[in-house]
Amino acid sequence: MINGKKVVVIMPAYNAEKTLEKTYSDIPKGAVDEVIVVDDKSNDNTVGVAKRLGLTIFTHDENKGYGANQKTCYKKALESEADIIIMIHPDYQYTPKLIPAMISLLESGEYDIVLGSRILAQNAIKGGMPVYKYIANRFLTLYDNIMLNQKLSEYHTGLRAFSRKVLETLPLLENSDDFVFDNQILVQAVYFGFRIGEIACPAKYANDSSSINFTRSTVYGLNVLKTGLQYVAQKGGIFQSNIFKKDGKKLL
Ligand SMILES: Nc1nc2c(ncn2[C@@H]2O[C@H](COP(=O)(O)OP(=O)(O)OP(=O)(O)O)[C@@H](O)[C@H]2O)c(=O)[nH]1
Ligand SMILES: [Mg+2]
């Protein structure tokens, strides 16, 4: 509890047996009340490791995708009465040591969402990010900043903190079950007027880290372009998308 608020970390997991424990161990003790892992039908022992660590675990009975996994994670966090929800990839690419800093930014009342940015940390390529992913990240970020009229340093991080209100308000069940969910949630947040802050987060791509391949990264990139167009069309009254519907399907 921080100022009487419940803090829950959620980890959307897929084949994370080698990195889940390291990620969990680096969460500063006492900083969070509960850690929820949702396993998207991994082929490895992710569930066994999560159980041994005593984490709260939920499983999908089939592989539903990264977006679907996050939907389950956030729903379970809200059901668990979380006030502050931190999403971190369990592949040990993002340092959990920054979680308390992110919480305090939310607690300042100035932000509804805080992102851990690898670009601000300026070590993404040194940390092992493939060069093509770095270039794509920079290009897609520029694109989103222009389309959304924002000045964020990246929209693609796997370390994010949300206030409960954000997850209750956004029609998250209208979003994709695939990777573009990550982009849709931020574009929705801008559309609904939530304030997004950032902190610098060093990233490392260890051998065990999950890294999606070129084809899936390309699909992601194209879907990011589409989401930006949807935003502009929505704002201009040209075309309405379900992801921006005020009464669209929500988690609760
Ligand atoms: N549910 C689900 N999750 C997946 C799948 N593939 C990867 N993930 C998870 O999605 C997250 C992001 O995917 P990564 O493979 O780490 O992506 P990356 O290329 O490293 O990209 P960044 O981490 O954003 O730099 C990781 O936490 C993976 O565990 C999948 O098929 N289903
Ligand atoms: Mg990764």
Side-chain angles (χ1 to χ4, degrees), residues 53-72:
L53 295 172
L55 311 183
T56 307
I57 170 124
F58 298 95
T59 55
H60 284 174
D61 47 19
E62 58 186 54
N63 183 254
K64 293 187 175 161
Y66 172 68
N69 195 335
Q70 275 192 71
K71 289 175 193 172
T72 308

Side-chain angles (χ1 to χ4, degrees), residues 7 12 19 21 30 36 52 58 60 66 76 89 97 107 126 148 160 171 187 191 206 223 231 243 247-248 252:
V7 179
T19 51
E21 181 161 7
I36 297 178
R52 176 167 56 75
F58 298 95
H60 284 174
Y66 172 68
K76 297 298 179 191
H89 288 173
K97 294 177 186 161
E107 274 299 280
K126 251 200 207 143
L148 309 176
R160 304 166 173 217
V187 176
Y191 183 78
N223 281 316
Y231 176 88
I243 59 170
D247 56 353
L252 292 184

